[in-house]
C-alpha cells in the first residue's frame, strides 16, 4: 500500500476567484482582478469583512479594495436597489471612515454612486 502525499504548492488546486458570486459581483470582480494584476490596486476581498451597525444589524460589503497607498475602499454592487440596502449603506458610512461606492451595472458599464 502506498501512502498518499500532499501535492507540492505549485500543483495545489487553484481557488475559484468567482465562487459564490452573482453575475453582477463577478463582473466587478473580474475588473478588480485585472486592476490588481496591472498594479492599480494591491488587493481585493469578496464578502470577507462584516461590520456591526447596531444590535442585530450587520453589513457585509461585496468588496473591500486596497489601494497602492494602503487605503481601503468599500464597494457594493447592485443589479437594482432595495430601500433597506441603501439605508444600511448610509448607516455604514455614518459610522465608518471608508470611502464607499455602489456600482450598478448598466449597458456598457457601471453607474457609480459615491457615498463618501
Amino acid at each position: 500500500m502506498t501512502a498518499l502525499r500532499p501535492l507540492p504548492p505549485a500543483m495545489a488546486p487553484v481557488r475559484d476567484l468567482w465562487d459564490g458570486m452573482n453575475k453582477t459581483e463577478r463582473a466587478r470582480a473580474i475588473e478588480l482582478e485585472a486592476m490588481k494584476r496591472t498594479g492599480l490596486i494591491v488587493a481585493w476581498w469578496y464578502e470577507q469583512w462584516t461590520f456591526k451597525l447596531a444590535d442585530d444589524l450587520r453589513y457585509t460589503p461585496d468588496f473591500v479594495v486596497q489601494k497602492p497607498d494602503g487605503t481601503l475602499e468599500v464597494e457594493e454592487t447592485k443589479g437594482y436597489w432595495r430601500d433597506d440596502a441603501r439605508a444600511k449603506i448610509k448607516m455604514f458610512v455614518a459610522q465608518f471612515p471608508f470611502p464607499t461606492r455602489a456600482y450598478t451595472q448598466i449597458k456598457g458599464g457601471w453607474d457609480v454612486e459615491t457615498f463618501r
Side-chain angles (χ1 to χ4, degrees):
M1 181 154 104
T2 308
L4 294 175
R5 291 179 285 138
L7 292 174
M11 297 182 69
V14 176
R15 178 178 68 93
D16 180 2
L17 293 176
W18 328 122
D19 187 40
M21 296 181 189
N22 64 38
K23 67 181 184 177
T24 304
E25 293 164 342
R26 181 182 172 128
R28 184 62 183 151
I30 289 169
E31 292 178 352
L32 290 171
E33 185 61 21
M35 293 168 69
K36 178 182 167 187
R37 292 179 184 193
T38 59
L40 293 174
I41 63 173
V42 175
W44 61 273
W45 297 270
Y46 171 69
E47 293 186 346
Q48 294 294 306
W49 302 40
T50 298
F51 298 87
K52 182 177 179 179
L53 303 179
D55 288 340
D56 297 323
L57 183 61
R58 309 260 182 303
Y59 170 61
T60 301
D62 291 330
F63 300 100
V64 174
V65 178
Q66 184 181 12
K67 300 291 189 170
D69 66 0
T71 59
L72 299 175
E73 295 185 355
V74 169
E75 294 187 0
E76 188 69 30
T77 57
K78 295 290 180 199
Y80 61 92
W81 278 97
R82 292 188 178 118
D83 288 338
D84 62 330
R86 190 176 297 278
K88 203 180 261 194
I89 288 179
K90 288 180 179 181
M91 286 180 70
F92 169 76
V93 299
Q95 294 179 46
F96 295 95
F98 298 107
T100 303
R101 289 184 189 80
Y103 289 77
T104 305
Q105 202 166 26
I106 57 174
K107 189 174 184 175
W110 299 98
D111 177 41
V112 181
E113 183 175 355
T114 301
F115 288 90
R116 180 184 316 262

